[in-house]
Amino acid sequence: MSREELIKDIVEKLRQLSDSRIQEVSDYVSFLASKIDGKIISEGIKTLASTSKSYDFLQNEEELYQVTDIKEKYL
């Protein structure tokens, strides 16, 4: 079944439902849409963070401390 046929079938089934059931379907569709939006936003943030040059200075940062600087060792 194609996307358009599926949508038409769903609309016909929705017409048969009571108002309260249609509200439940609407709430569920909104929930699904928000999950998709959240995933898109998360992926976008991950991409921005991984390609950002903001933290490049950390790659070239010199080591401030050596193992010999440790005064007490805890085991």
Side-chain angles (χ1 to χ4, degrees), residues 18-52:
S18 67
D19 290 347
S20 64
R21 293 291 183 186
I22 290 174
Q23 184 60 52
E24 286 181 41
V25 171
S26 175
D27 292 345
Y28 183 66
V29 170
S30 295
F31 166 73
L32 290 176
S34 71
K35 284 179 60 174
I36 291 169
D37 289 345
K39 184 176 180 181
I40 290 170
I41 290 170
S42 294
E43 291 297 321
I45 290 171
K46 189 187 311 180
T47 301
L48 285 173
S50 66
T51 59
S52 173

Side-chain angles (χ1 to χ4, degrees), residues 1-17 25:
M1 187 177 281
S2 74
R3 177 183 168 92
E4 292 303 319
E5 291 172 330
L6 191 57
I7 290 172
K8 287 178 185 177
D9 184 50
I10 292 169
V11 169
E12 287 304 315
K13 289 176 182 174
L14 284 172
R15 291 184 199 281
Q16 298 171 9
L17 296 176
V25 171

